Amino acid sequence: MSLSIPFANTYGTLPAQLFTRMKPTAVADPSLIAFNHDLAAELGIENTQDIAELSRVFGGNEVPQGADPLAQLYAAHQFGQWNPQLGDGRALMLGDVETTAGRFDIQLKGSGPTPYSRNGDGRAWLGPVLREYVMSEAMHALGIPTTRALAAVATGEQVFRETALPGAVITRVAASHIRVGTFQILVARRDLDGLQALNEHAVERHYPDCNNPLEFLQAVIHAQAKLVAKWMSIGFIHGVMNTDNCTVSGETIDYGPCAFMDEFHPMQVFSSIDRHGRYAYGNQPDIIVWNMAQLATSLVPLMPDADQAVKDFTAAVHAMPKLLHENWRNAFGAKLGMTSPSQEDDRLIQELLQLMADEKADFTNTFRALTDGTANPKLDKSDAFQSWTQRWRTRIEREEDPIAKMRAANPYIIPRNHQIEAMIQAAVQGDYDPFHRLNALLATPFAASSEALYLTHPPQDAERVEATFCGT
Ligand code: AMP
Ligand code: MG
């Protein structure tokens, strides 16, 4: 019995200017590194036992039955600069599937050049593929909306970056790959028919209760406010919040230069290309509002009265910072054991974050030590922290079961940069054990165990990763 994927392929019914139909470029020697059987089952994929077939399909050498592969067109503001022509330069959507949990895209990334490749080779190397696999699955286990990883395949080919590196293909699953930049390109090209069709598709797919573009905008704003507040609450820095890396579904997408913080610094930047810190940890709530303003602008042509639309959309975007702050307060309140944190609790949260920044305390371990009642090496010696602890204890006396709440909000482990780097180094040498171990442990990030203890250790000085790179 051969592999069966229940493709529905609705994106291919949209106007033809939104994509290019084409097949992936075959690779020399596809060999399966990982396949996510749990996710496959959720997607209704069957007959997944033939490793050689999985390698061929998810390496791009064989188009599975029912697929309608296409490269999607989009544009973007990258670091605030308008780039009128992007698109899937090294990705191809095999198609979308219909499940009881909704519709999902299945996309190969690293599958060869497309008309949107510009000067790129259409390929990915092993490092970013494994990084995205581990990071996106870890985010899912942490309860953060995200694209997921279905498969990773080594291509048996070399990819040339600064040096020759092993090539790989990742299969990404997303609620959709519709980006703010997908809307932007249609407006820039004055393609009202395309824009209308895309909007209808996005509404039907993600927010079927929305009756007009304003409600759609508000729904995306709500989803993104929730998402970015969740990122903040686990010390996640996306690193490249360009409008092509910003979904309308509210899922995290693009794991290029992202990173979790070890020591807390409110303006931490890891991405090597983010020279001015536009996408620093503390800037993320401002940037997402900026991105939503770009979406709002793109929706104006859909409205009968442009002046009224600008007024209404502006109000919706201006309401976002408050929404973000409420989501932020709820997320951090939960981390401190509070069920319904109020505005007064902001001070307690902010004071802790300030102390953590002053003492360069580890973000994840600080909250976990408060949860478990264990030592906080960097903070315990501080009188200000002792005084803060007193006030916090008093505050949560009136909570039902604060520790249980904290256990569910404060992960024991996260994918730390230095462990990700070590995993990639090992994989390049042919040792995939660290990759599989990371995946297994990060599937239950809230559970303490002796096996996972090494993932709680911040980097030694020599292990410290100062910069992360885009996955190109
Ligand atoms: P990213 O930085 O991953 O969001 O990519 C930005 C744009 O560059 C997207 O349109 C990608 O498809 C394209 N791109 C990135 N890497 C490559 C590559 N190796 N070959 C072709 N296009 C690429
Ligand atoms: Mg991207």
Side-chain angles (χ1 to χ4, degrees):
M1 291 264 266
S2 63
L3 183 69
S4 142
I5 308 178
F7 285 113
N9 298 333
T10 54
Y11 204 81
T13 64
L14 292 176
Q17 64 271 29
L18 273 123
F19 52 82
T20 300
R21 273 204 174 82
M22 60 178 294
K23 292 203 166 63
T25 309
V27 300
D29 183 17
S31 98
L32 193 71
I33 300 166
F35 187 73
N36 191 336
H37 286 276
D38 292 345
L39 178 58
E42 286 174 40
L43 295 172
I45 301 179
E46 290 175 350
N47 307 326
T48 55
Q49 64 290 339
D50 184 344
I51 305 287
E53 185 184 31
L54 294 180
S55 306
R56 289 195 305 273
V57 168
F58 297 106
N61 286 29
E62 182 179 311
V63 175
Q65 182 104 48
D68 178 23
L70 54 86
Q72 287 172 305
L73 176 74
Y74 51 85
H77 279 100
Q78 298 177 304
F79 292 91
Q81 299 288 323
W82 176 241
N83 187 332
Q85 164 75 67
L86 288 167
D88 291 334
R90 54 168 167 165
L92 278 184
M93 186 164 93
L94 289 178
D96 49 84
V97 297
E98 196 90 53
T99 79
T100 46
R103 205 178 293 152
F104 293 91
D105 288 354
I106 301 179
Q107 191 204 58
L108 304 181
K109 191 167 159 190
S111 50
T114 77
Y116 314 127
S117 298
R118 295 172 293 165
N119 297 320
D121 60 1
R123 294 296 184 190
W125 77 274
L126 184 64
V129 164
L130 298 184
R131 192 166 210 283
E132 170 157 350
Y133 198 111
V134 171
M135 294 295 264
S136 64
E137 285 301 299
M139 289 284 271
H140 173 72
L142 286 162
I144 318 278
T146 176
T147 64
R148 299 198 55 192
L150 180 63
V153 173
T155 60
E157 292 178 359
Q158 288 189 325
V159 171
F160 297 91
R161 296 296 177 254
E162 260 141 33
T163 164
L165 295 160
V169 178
I170 186 167
T171 303
R172 174 161 74 181
V173 171
S176 84
H177 285 84
I178 304 170
R179 309 144 189 270
V180 170
T182 320
F183 283 84
Q184 287 181 290
I185 196 163
L186 297 168
V187 178
R189 294 184 173 181
R190 305 191 195 291
D191 178 355
L192 191 58
D193 291 342
L195 186 65
Q196 213 125 28
L198 177 69
N199 185 241
E200 272 167 32
H201 177 84
V203 168
E204 191 258 318
R205 196 159 175 174
H206 298 300
Y207 308 104
D209 297 336
C210 290
N211 295 308
N212 55 52
L214 174 60
E215 288 182 14
F216 171 69
L217 174 66
Q218 286 168 325
V220 179
I221 285 175
H222 269 82
Q224 284 290 348
K226 211 158 132 188
L227 178 68
V228 173
K230 281 188 183 242
W231 289 354
M232 301 302 281
S233 78
I234 51 163
F236 178 79
I237 305 168
H238 182 281
V240 60
M241 290 174 71
N242 296 336
T243 56
D244 59 324
N245 295 330
C246 184
T247 58
V248 298
S249 66
E251 283 185 343
T252 311
I253 194 170
D254 199 318
Y255 286 88
C258 69
F260 280 80
M261 269 192 285
D262 297 298
E263 285 172 1
F264 178 63
H265 189 294
M267 278 307 187
Q268 179 74 51
V269 177
F270 286 104
S271 168
S272 59
I273 56 171
D274 191 5
R275 276 184 306 245
H276 304 292
R278 178 178 168 92
Y279 301 137
Y281 172 81
N283 283 347
Q284 297 183 124
D286 290 341
I287 291 295
I288 196 61
V289 176
W290 194 91
N291 286 353
M292 290 300 100
Q294 308 315 312
L295 177 63
T297 304
S298 310
L299 296 173
V300 171
L302 294 173
M303 302 298 279
D305 178 344
D307 291 340
Q308 189 58 40
V310 168
K311 251 190 224 149
D312 293 344
F313 291 1
T314 303
V317 173
H318 283 177
M320 193 179 186
K322 183 159 174 276
L323 207 57
L324 270 158
H325 189 76
E326 285 163 3
N327 277 290
W328 176 91
R329 178 193 296 140
N330 286 335
F332 276 89
K335 289 174 82 68
L336 292 175
M338 304 170 191
T339 303
S340 307
S342 68
Q343 207 173 340
E344 283 156 46
D345 294 317
D346 284 0
R347 236 186 90 192
L348 206 57
I349 300 168
Q350 295 284 17
E351 280 175 7
L352 175 62
L353 291 174
Q354 186 61 54
L355 287 164
M356 287 164 62
D358 293 346
E359 302 296 335
K360 298 190 163 58
D362 185 86
F363 186 88
T364 307
N365 291 352
T366 300
F367 285 100
R368 192 63 191 204
L370 289 171
T371 308
D372 296 338
T374 51
N376 248 317
K378 293 258 178 78
L379 289 166
D380 284 341
K381 57 185 187 307
S382 147
D383 290 341
F385 179 67
Q386 297 303 338
S387 138
W388 179 89
T389 306
Q390 287 296 333
R391 278 176 289 134
W392 168 62
R393 291 231 166 87
T394 309
R395 165 61 183 85
I396 59 168
E397 267 167 20
R398 61 173 199 260
E399 296 287 341
E400 186 82 16
D401 191 352
I403 300 301
K405 189 156 186 89
M406 291 172 71
R407 283 231 169 84
N410 294 312
Y412 178 67
I413 51 171
I414 45 142
R416 292 183 186 266
N417 296 327
H418 66 294
Q419 294 295 353
I420 295 277
E421 285 308 314
M423 174 276 285
I424 292 171
Q425 297 300 327
V428 169
Q429 303 301 317
D431 174 9
Y432 287 99
D433 285 353
F435 167 72
H436 293 299
R437 197 175 329 131
L438 276 179
N439 277 322
L441 293 170
L442 288 162
T444 54
F446 298 96
S449 72
S450 53
E451 295 81 55
L453 183 66
Y454 78 105
L455 289 175
T456 68
H457 297 150
Q460 306 277 325
D461 281 342
E463 296 172 317
R464 206 181 284 272
V465 176
E466 304 290 355
T468 53
F469 300 89
C470 260
T472 44

